[in-house]
């Protein structure tokens, strides 16, 4: 009897649920699910190719959000709205945690299963992910040779060129240090932003001052910790990428022509915000 009464109450409570969408937008239409869910086109027909495609598509969606939030954070820092920038970057870090976990799912695919459809990929490779390149550019790691990959699509190439020539997240953070009255060398403030950032003594000393006087520079201190979070998670993503590739294909050459695991191990040495890591030894 009690269960029957609960069922009636539940039905009564949900009487306003909409069921007629003849003239209204549905959930699927809002999200364009017809396009998204019809984009998993297996070239080999192999069962596990679906996993491979979905993982990479989901990762690209998360990267789209990472770029959206990072670019917004850059604009917030430029306008000296550091609290909003911190919120944006906190969301980036949470998003990164999701993209890292995707490797755990892909790792359920064995080497034998992957080899059943690997040839169908041709020369397509994650190395060619333009969103990943734009994330690298936004964080200050600039390499112009990768732009050649995207010459096939002039519109996309122009977008990447624009991102390549733009100030990075760290460039605007350093400018915020200078606006707060901390000394930054002119050569850093006026540097060629198409070059990968190199550590600088004046930047190191400025961040050291921030960390030694957190009450005075609280917002800069919080911003610095968000930057450290971001690089930490990115390196964890790279490490999981490298180990997943090693687990699935060993030390074979990548489909895009890279050295595969060798290349992925090398990029683990890249640093984005070097002074923020170096000062920890001095504190």
């Amino acid at each position: 009897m009690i269960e029957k009464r609960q069922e009636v109450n539940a039905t009564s409570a949900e009487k306003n649920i909409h069921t007629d969408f003849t003239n209204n937008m549905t959930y699927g239409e809002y999200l364009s699910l017809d396009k998204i869910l019809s984009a998993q086109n297996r070239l080999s027909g192999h069962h596990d190719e679906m996993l491979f495609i979905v993982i990479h598509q989901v990762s690209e969606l998360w990267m789209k959000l990472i770029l959206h939030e990072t670019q917004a954070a850059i604009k917030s820092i430029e306008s000296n709205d550091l609290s909003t920038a911190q919120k944006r970057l906190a969301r980036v870090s949470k998003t990164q945690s999701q993209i890292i976990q995707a490797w755990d799912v892909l790792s359920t695919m064995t080497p034998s299963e992957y080899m059943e459809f690997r040839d169908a990929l041709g020369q397509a490779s994650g190395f060619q992910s333009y969103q990943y390149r734009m994330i690298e550019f936004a964080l200050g790691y600039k390499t112009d040779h990768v732009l050649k990959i995207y010459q096939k699509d002039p519109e996309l190439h122009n977008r990447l060129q624009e991102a390549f020539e733009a100030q990075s997240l760290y460039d605007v953070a350093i400018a915020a240090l200078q606006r707060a009255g901390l000394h930054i060398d002119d050569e850093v403030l006026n540097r060629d932003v198409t070059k990968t950032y190199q550590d600088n003594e004046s930047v190191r000393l400025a961040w050291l001052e921030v960390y030694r006087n957190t009450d005075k520079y609280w917002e800069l201190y919080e911003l610095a910790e968000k930057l450290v979070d971001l690089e930490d998670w990115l390196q964890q993503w790279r490490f999981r990428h490298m180990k997943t590739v090693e687990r699935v294909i060993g030390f074979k050459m990548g489909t895009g022509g890279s050295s595969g695991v060798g290349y992925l191990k090398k990029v683990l040495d890249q640093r984005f915000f070097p002074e923020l890591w170096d000062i920890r030894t001095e504190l």
Side-chain angles (χ1 to χ4, degrees), residues 172-240:
V172 298
I174 291 171
L177 290 172
Q178 192 268 342
R179 287 196 302 272
L182 295 159
H183 171 72
I184 302 295
D185 291 341
D186 287 341
E187 65 186 65
V188 177
L189 296 171
N190 301 311
R191 78 181 193 87
D192 180 356
V193 297
T194 65
K195 306 295 183 184
T196 296
Y197 177 81
Q198 300 295 323
D199 57 314
N200 174 269
E201 180 68 5
S202 69
V203 175
R204 184 185 68 80
L205 292 174
W207 284 124
L208 197 57
E209 182 71 12
V210 168
Y211 273 76
R212 285 176 172 166
N213 296 277
T214 57
D215 289 343
K216 181 178 181 180
Y217 300 109
W218 181 256
E219 284 198 321
L220 286 168
Y221 170 64
E222 284 283 281
L223 175 62
E225 284 298 290
K226 292 296 184 292
L227 295 178
V228 171
D229 286 343
L230 196 156
E231 180 168 346
D232 188 352
W233 283 110
L234 179 63
Q235 294 295 55
Q236 290 188 52
W237 180 86
R238 284 174 158 180
F239 179 79
R240 289 295 297 124

Side-chain angles (χ1 to χ4, degrees), residues 51-88:
L51 165 66
F52 190 81
I53 292 171
V54 168
I55 288 295
H56 287 83
Q57 287 182 340
V58 168
S59 295
E60 289 292 335
L61 284 172
W62 282 130
M63 282 192 273
K64 183 171 185 175
L65 181 58
I66 288 171
L67 279 169
H68 177 70
E69 298 295 344
T70 302
Q71 290 164 352
I74 289 173
K75 291 179 180 178
S76 294
I77 296 170
E78 287 177 323
S79 61
N80 226 32
D81 183 2
L82 300 189
S83 61
T84 298
Q86 291 162 18
K87 178 176 175 58
R88 305 292 188 224

Side-chain angles (χ1 to χ4, degrees), residues 80-276:
N80 226 32
D81 183 2
L82 300 189
S83 61
T84 298
Q86 291 162 18
K87 178 176 175 58
R88 305 292 188 224
L89 295 178
R91 184 175 292 167
V92 169
S93 294
K94 290 296 185 182
T95 305
Q96 288 174 299
S97 71
Q98 296 299 308
I99 203 171
I100 289 169
Q101 291 179 25
W103 295 120
D104 294 336
V105 183
L106 189 59
S107 292
T108 64
M109 183 172 62
T110 68
S112 298
E113 290 164 344
Y114 180 52
M115 294 310 297
E116 289 290 327
F117 65 86
R118 187 177 191 239
D119 288 345
L121 304 180
Q123 294 180 323
S125 166
F127 183 85
Q128 299 146 16
S129 168
Y130 72 86
Q131 290 197 121
Y132 177 73
R133 295 303 170 190
M134 290 181 74
I135 289 172
E136 283 192 330
F137 292 168
L139 299 185
Y141 185 75
K142 306 288 183 76
T143 49
D144 59 357
H145 71 275
V146 300
L147 293 173
K148 297 177 182 177
I149 297 172
Y150 312 101
Q151 290 176 337
K152 178 180 179 179
D153 185 338
E155 183 178 346
L156 176 57
H157 186 271
N158 288 339
R159 282 180 60 196
L160 281 151
Q161 187 70 44
E162 184 179 343
F164 180 75
E165 295 173 358
Q167 283 192 308
S168 72
L169 178 63
Y170 201 40
D171 287 324
V172 298
I174 291 171
L177 290 172
Q178 192 268 342
R179 287 196 302 272
L182 295 159
H183 171 72
I184 302 295
D185 291 341
D186 287 341
E187 65 186 65
V188 177
L189 296 171
N190 301 311
R191 78 181 193 87
D192 180 356
V193 297
T194 65
K195 306 295 183 184
T196 296
Y197 177 81
Q198 300 295 323
D199 57 314
N200 174 269
E201 180 68 5
S202 69
V203 175
R204 184 185 68 80
L205 292 174
W207 284 124
L208 197 57
E209 182 71 12
V210 168
Y211 273 76
R212 285 176 172 166
N213 296 277
T214 57
D215 289 343
K216 181 178 181 180
Y217 300 109
W218 181 256
E219 284 198 321
L220 286 168
Y221 170 64
E222 284 283 281
L223 175 62
E225 284 298 290
K226 292 296 184 292
L227 295 178
V228 171
D229 286 343
L230 196 156
E231 180 168 346
D232 188 352
W233 283 110
L234 179 63
Q235 294 295 55
Q236 290 188 52
W237 180 86
R238 284 174 158 180
F239 179 79
R240 289 295 297 124
H241 184 188
M242 182 268 293
K243 294 306 292 184
T244 302
V245 171
E246 184 177 0
R247 175 173 178 159
V248 176
I249 69 168
F251 286 82
K252 293 185 184 72
M253 181 178 289
T255 51
S258 75
S259 59
V261 170
Y263 169 79
L264 296 173
K265 283 185 174 181
K266 184 173 64 176
V267 300
L268 285 171
D269 293 330
Q270 294 172 1
R271 299 208 300 169
F272 297 93
F273 318 126
E275 294 89 356
L276 290 175

